[in-house]
Amino acid sequence: MAEIKKFKTIGVVGSGQMGSGIAQLAATYGFDVWLLDTDPDALSRATKSISSSIQRLVSKGQLSQDVRKDALERLQCTSNVENLCSADIIIEAIVESEDVKKKLFLQLDKIAKRSAILASNTSSISITRLASATSRPHQVIGMHFMNPPPIMKLVEIVRGADTSDETFNVTKTLAERFGKTVICSRDYAGFVVNRILMPMINEAFYALYTGVATKEDIDAGMKLGTNHPMGPLELADFIGLDICLSILRVLHAGLGDNKYAPCPILVQYVDAGRLGRKRGIGVYDYRQTPESVKPSSKL
């Protein structure tokens, strides 16, 4: 396995909010990046999003124009998985489905160089089971970035049953090179962050479902009463209600406790396509005048 100082190329699979954010982060820290997605339109949106995001950081004085120029030159987009064959580490950030991720890991295992680490940005799925789809389980690890990756300071690293010390040390060093603080979790459903966060979000949905309070008051209570920057329902919209539901189902199945059972209204919203900010509507409606429908900016 290559030492971190010899790492040159990082592959990222999935060009959604998380994947594009990870790609941006890697490029701004001097790595050559291949961003893979089967959807050319998604890659086009990701390229525009990354360019805009980097420009905002430049405007705020957090990045120089030289870093911006270098990062954009280092970023390459592709729909051909073979282009990831030169990557020293490949980080997947695709849909939160174990079956889909396993199929991807099987594919990546065949094309990645033997020394490459295969990392998953999963927020809840077993790394051990994902690793079982490969011939290199000792080189498979969880590398869970928070949203948005360029801004949030935390990376949650998860070792599977067979993850080697070398893989762990290299991945931890890489995260720290990105300027992140690392916490480590054993391979249990939901790991650390989402095992705590998702039950809180789910309970907020139950409070809404049972008529305890309005969505605005639930969010205001948690922001003003516990000093959270976002209320739990607002945060769910930001994360994506479909993602919240997927994580809760993993928690429920993996830990076997009914306290993780998704609230019926959360299931209903996802069934209706109300997935949050990315769809323009979730708990809140973002399609209308922001001042009248979004959570109050004064809180």
Side-chain angles (χ1 to χ4, degrees), residues 178-192:
F178 287 157
K180 305 303 185 184
T181 297
V182 171
I183 64 171
C184 303
S185 173
R186 295 176 67 184
D187 191 18
Y188 290 111
F191 314 135
V192 175

Side-chain angles (χ1 to χ4, degrees), residues 189-204:
F191 314 135
V192 175
V193 173
N194 280 322
R195 184 163 179 174
I196 297 168
L197 175 63
M198 286 300 154
M200 182 190 74
I201 287 176
N202 200 39
E203 196 61 33

Side-chain angles (χ1 to χ4, degrees), residues 64-138:
S64 68
Q65 284 288 359
D66 287 344
V67 171
R68 172 187 174 277
K69 182 175 182 293
D70 182 65
L72 294 177
E73 288 177 350
R74 288 181 177 277
L75 177 65
Q76 297 185 80
C77 295
T78 183
S79 293
N80 182 2
V81 70
E82 297 289 341
N83 287 132
L84 302 186
C85 65
S86 63
D88 297 295
I89 183 170
I90 302 173
I91 305 169
E92 71 81 12
I94 62 171
V95 62
E96 194 72 353
S97 162
E98 182 173 332
D99 288 342
V100 176
K101 287 182 187 291
K102 275 186 171 180
K103 290 177 182 176
L104 174 64
F105 270 72
L106 179 63
Q107 187 178 21
L108 293 176
D109 187 45
K110 293 177 180 177
I111 64 95
K113 60 186 182 182
R114 290 310 308 165
S115 61
I117 292 172
L118 303 182
S120 175
N121 184 58
T122 180
S123 52
S124 59
I125 296 169
S126 168
I127 300 302
T128 301
R129 292 201 298 270
L130 295 181
S132 71
T134 76
S135 63
R136 62 180 91 191
H138 57 291

